[in-house]
Amino acid sequence: MKQKVIAIVGPTAVGKTKLSIEVAKKFNGEIISGDSMQVYRGMDIGTAKIKIEEMQGIPHHMIDIKNPDENFSVADFKKYVQQYIKEISARNHIPIIVGGSGLYIQSVLSDYNFSEEKRDDALTKKLEAEMEAEGIEPLYNRLKQIDHVQAEKIHPNNFRRVIRALEIYEKTGLTMTEYQMHQQKEMPFDSMLIGLEMERSMLYERINHRIDLMVEEGLVEEVHKLISEGYSNCQSMKAIGYKELIPYFRGETTLEESIELLKRNSRRFAKRQFTWFKNKMEVNWYNLTPLTISEKFNEILIDLAGFLKS
């Protein structure tokens, strides 16, 4: 039996941290940061590092393990995280990887096996059109006939997963269950990826608000401290949240210009994150709105309970 691992992914500011705490409390989990920048000490506000009081007593790993002038690669991340997964599993706890650094997370879960079946846009659109015309029930019933094991794992309202399972079958001739068994021969863990998404204008509004809060909490002072400690030319300082403010301290831009640039870069980064996860990994997506967050979190907890029992 392969060790079960949960991963919570998606663009910045979408709500991954809040969900991760709920999942950890429900399933006796420990959280592993999947963010490539949260490993650095002193880079707290700009990386949206979780605060002690937000952890609610849940153990967190891969935070504050390097100085800003130390190198840290995908290979390093993979080595550290796979070791943490072993240690957490030995305590009979569930490892939960949380973050937005897609390649880093993929390196752990896929063991650099990038052979996942690519999406067939035409087939996806055909199935989506059927759903819009007839509703999800006929598609879900078709899935139950084709692959009852997968149907039991998928909530009938999770149309993305229903469509993906049917797409795999129509394209490869394999059921999703058969396909996953084939893939898992190459995978070091039995993993389930939970993806959070949000309507773009709503997400961008949350990103802008988060950056305003970061500035209020002392982001400018944090960057100034790192510069004064001699880290301005380090690779870590090229990250979003830091590189935009360095020109301000050189007198090349105003603070307002630097903050606007940071917001723009963060929005663009969120778009790239979302595109990357959509194209590169087999993610179960859940769309959030302010009114449905609680409902969606409950749905995710139900789906994860099914995964952990299987």
Side-chain angles (χ1 to χ4, degrees), residues 5-239:
V5 176
I6 295 167
I8 300 173
V9 304
T12 185
V14 76
K16 299 185 295 294
T17 297
K18 184 177 180 182
L19 174 62
S20 69
I21 296 296
E22 294 300 311
V23 172
K25 289 193 297 185
K26 177 76 173 178
F27 300 113
N28 198 22
E30 297 186 31
I31 293 171
I32 301 170
S33 170
D35 187 296
S36 62
M37 298 307 300
Q38 290 187 355
V39 298
Y40 292 113
R41 303 180 188 99
M43 302 182 75
D44 304 330
I45 300 172
T47 64
K49 207 175 283 180
I50 189 169
K51 300 179 179 70
I52 295 294
E53 59 270 22
E54 294 173 329
M55 293 181 181
Q56 298 186 38
I58 303 296
H60 281 65
H61 309 281
M62 292 298 288
I63 295 174
D64 295 339
I65 62 172
K66 296 284 183 180
N67 291 325
D69 58 349
E70 293 184 84
N71 292 326
F72 189 73
S73 67
V74 175
D76 295 327
F77 179 85
K78 177 182 173 182
K79 181 181 71 175
Y80 274 95
V81 172
Q82 290 191 341
Q83 182 59 36
Y84 277 124
I85 289 172
K86 289 179 184 177
E87 293 172 5
I88 292 167
S89 303
R91 293 190 282 271
N92 292 318
H93 290 180
I94 298 295
I96 305 165
I97 305 175
V98 184
S101 299
L103 181 62
Y104 282 67
I105 294 172
Q106 188 181 38
S107 74
V108 173
L109 300 182
S110 299
D111 208 19
Y112 279 116
N113 172 24
F114 298 162
S115 61
E116 285 91 346
E117 191 71 28
K118 292 182 179 178
R119 304 304 299 250
D120 185 325
D121 290 339
L123 186 51
T124 300
K125 288 176 181 176
K126 170 179 167 286
L127 292 167
E128 287 176 347
E130 286 184 38
M131 185 195 70
E132 288 176 10
E134 303 174 21
I136 191 64
E137 190 175 352
L139 291 179
Y140 187 71
N141 288 336
R142 191 191 310 171
L143 178 62
K144 283 198 292 187
Q145 293 176 348
I146 293 168
D147 186 358
H148 70 89
V149 174
Q150 199 63 219
E152 287 179 5
K153 295 181 182 180
I154 299 175
H155 192 280
N157 292 334
N158 193 341
F159 69 90
R160 288 188 186 278
R161 289 189 67 195
V162 173
I163 286 175
R164 179 58 171 158
L166 291 173
E167 178 191 323
I168 287 286
Y169 179 73
E170 292 193 21
K171 187 176 178 183
T172 68
L174 299 173
T175 66
M176 178 68 90
T177 300
E178 292 169 335
Y179 180 77
Q180 288 178 342
M181 288 176 62
H182 174 73
Q183 285 295 94
Q184 285 174 3
K185 291 176 183 177
E186 311 297 330
M187 304 289 188
F189 307 109
D190 181 7
S191 59
M192 180 169 180
L193 280 77
I194 301 296
L196 301 183
E197 60 181 339
M198 187 175 285
E199 193 272 323
R200 187 166 296 176
S201 63
M202 193 181 303
L203 179 64
Y204 287 177
E205 186 178 321
R206 286 169 66 98
I207 290 170
N208 291 339
H209 179 63
R210 169 183 276 192
I211 291 167
D212 288 336
L213 286 179
M214 286 178 171
V215 174
E216 288 179 21
E217 292 173 355
L219 175 61
V220 178
E221 292 77 11
E222 178 173 277
V223 177
H224 182 261
K225 184 173 186 290
L226 290 163
I227 291 171
S228 66
E229 291 173 350
Y231 295 126
S232 59
N233 293 320
C234 294
Q235 184 64 34
S236 61
M237 293 290 281
K238 292 179 172 58

